[in-house]
Amino acid sequence: MSKATHNPTAGAMPQAEVSATAGTIKTVLILAGLAVLIAAPMFVYPIFLMKLLCFALFACAFNLLIGYTGLLSFGHAAFFGGAAYFTAYSVKEWGVTPEIGLLIGMAGAALLGLVIGFFAIRRQGIYFAMITLALSQMFYFFCLQAPFTHGEDGLQGVPRGHLFGLLDLNAPLNIYYTVLAAFVLALLVIWRFVNSPFGMILKSIRENEQRAISLGYSVQRYKLGAFVMSAALAGLAGGLKALVFQFATLTDVAWQMSGEVILMTLLGGIGTMIGPIFGAGLVVALQNYLATSDFPVTIITGLVFMACVLVFRRGLIGEFYASRLGRRLGFQHRG
């Protein structure tokens, strides 16, 4: 009579094969997406593509806060528009190179994030959101009255300059690939941040803040760190937009801009890396298409948002991740 033997690795092999297959699929999709972005300016207007990349980065920065920390900010326009002003002013008035201008914009946005976050993180839920909105509106009125912003006229005629003193950014392809490189680098930073021990603690705070406190973590310090990081990356997006369009206006710091980035993130799916990019692409493409039609952009965008909330509660990409096909491909919604 033969004895039945138990092989502890018998059930592990299929799971390992599934994980390897999922990893391969993800790698192929990432490389394919990168190849599409590299070739895109040959077929699509580069300015439109750069606008899409700037807002996609803005949405990813916002998603870093709401998707992985659970903090809903109504004031992210302050960081986006503030960095646009800082970058535009430093490049135009001080004559610095564009990379220095972007760093100044990011530093200014991070400083704003530190100040606003210092007051906002002391509250939770709707109170946190309202504090960010109030402080963002204060910054809006500061930009309206400050002489260096030129009020409602904004900063216009911002020179793109030469990147590192070598690459002429007035050439459409040069500035496009510069924006693309900054976008990819920022995504890598976000991915590393989310998957670091710091990011894991942020997720634990989002899921159960009291438990994180009981484990000895300084919750407010981690929240503030995430807030500042999100603000700095939003500032990078704003600075890039100022260089691409060569102006910075009050529209960039208005509360409607904060609403747009919330819409983009929710449409794509919070807590996912790809969702905000997809949502930003959808909103920017919709705005670009409706701009040449007789349809009211705001109403159509609002209807799309309502339909998404009612039908796709997790966002378009979030629903795909949660579907059977998404799970089989290894795209679990882990946010």
Side-chain angles (χ1 to χ4, degrees):
M1 184 175 179
S2 61
K3 294 183 179 180
T5 59
H6 175 67
N7 185 1
T9 63
M13 290 302 294
Q15 182 62 35
E17 292 176 1
V18 170
S19 299
T21 303
T24 302
I25 293 174
K26 290 178 182 179
T27 302
V28 170
L29 290 177
I30 291 172
L31 293 177
L34 187 58
V36 168
L37 288 175
I38 291 174
M42 309 300 176
F43 308 97
V44 184
Y45 190 44
I47 294 294
F48 168 76
L49 292 172
M50 287 186 282
K51 180 181 179 181
L52 192 155
L53 289 175
C54 290
F55 278 100
L57 176 55
F58 186 24
C60 288
F62 178 76
N63 181 57
L64 178 63
L65 190 65
I66 186 175
Y68 298 100
T69 314
L71 298 175
L72 174 60
S73 168
F74 284 164
H76 256 53
F79 315 131
F80 181 81
Y85 274 119
F86 299 147
T87 299
Y89 185 84
S90 60
V91 170
K92 182 178 181 180
E93 301 297 334
W94 296 344
V96 301
T97 54
E99 70 276 4
I100 299 299
L102 289 173
L103 290 176
I104 291 174
M106 289 183 67
L111 182 60
L112 276 175
L114 182 63
V115 173
I116 294 177
F118 176 79
F119 294 102
I121 62 171
R122 300 173 184 275
R123 295 293 181 265
Q124 297 179 352
I126 190 63
Y127 302 104
F128 171 87
M130 288 297 102
I131 290 174
T132 59
L133 176 61
L135 294 176
S136 175
Q137 284 300 100
M138 289 176 61
F139 183 72
Y140 170 84
F141 287 110
F142 167 78
C143 292
L144 178 62
Q145 299 295 331
F148 76 92
T149 64
H150 299 285
E152 295 182 354
D153 294 331
L155 285 170
Q156 302 182 21
V158 178
R160 292 175 176 172
H162 290 70
L163 188 68
F164 300 112
L166 300 173
L167 188 65
D168 184 9
L169 296 185
N170 291 302
L173 289 182
N174 288 350
I175 190 171
Y176 171 77
Y177 288 119
T178 299
V179 172
L180 178 59
F183 173 75
V184 172
L185 181 61
L187 285 188
L188 290 175
V189 170
I190 292 173
W191 179 84
R192 185 67 189 93
F193 185 81
V194 167
N195 292 281
S196 68
F198 191 98
M200 298 301 174
I201 295 172
L202 290 178
K203 293 177 185 178
S204 69
I205 293 173
R206 178 198 62 190
E207 297 298 330
N208 194 326
E209 183 172 334
Q210 294 303 317
R211 184 175 183 181
I213 293 174
S214 68
L215 292 174
Y217 293 113
S218 178
V219 170
Q220 289 194 355
R221 182 165 61 89
Y222 281 97
K223 284 183 177 180
L224 184 59
F227 198 92
V228 172
M229 173 65 77
S230 177
L233 291 171
L236 175 60
L240 288 171
K241 180 180 178 292
L243 291 178
V244 169
F245 291 95
Q246 298 184 276
F247 61 78
T249 66
L250 289 173
T251 304
D252 298 328
V253 292
W255 65 267
Q256 291 91 337
M257 186 63 71
S258 295
E260 278 193 21
V261 75
I262 294 174
L263 172 63
M264 293 172 183
T265 308
L266 292 179
L267 279 177
I270 63 174
T272 65
M273 288 292 294
I274 303 176
I277 302 173
F278 187 86
L282 181 62
V283 171
V284 171
L286 191 62
Q287 290 176 344
N288 186 70
Y289 174 76
L290 294 176
T292 58
S293 68
D294 296 328
F295 296 103
V297 177
T298 306
I299 294 177
I300 299 299
T301 305
L303 291 175
V304 171
F305 176 66
M306 288 176 57
C308 181
V309 170
L310 293 174
V311 181
F312 305 102
R313 301 295 296 273
R314 300 182 181 90
L316 296 174
I317 300 300
E319 288 292 343
F320 172 72
Y321 279 14
S323 67
R324 180 177 298 180
L325 177 61
R327 291 195 301 270
R328 290 188 63 182
L329 294 177
F331 291 103
Q332 292 91 348
H333 189 184
R334 299 176 182 175

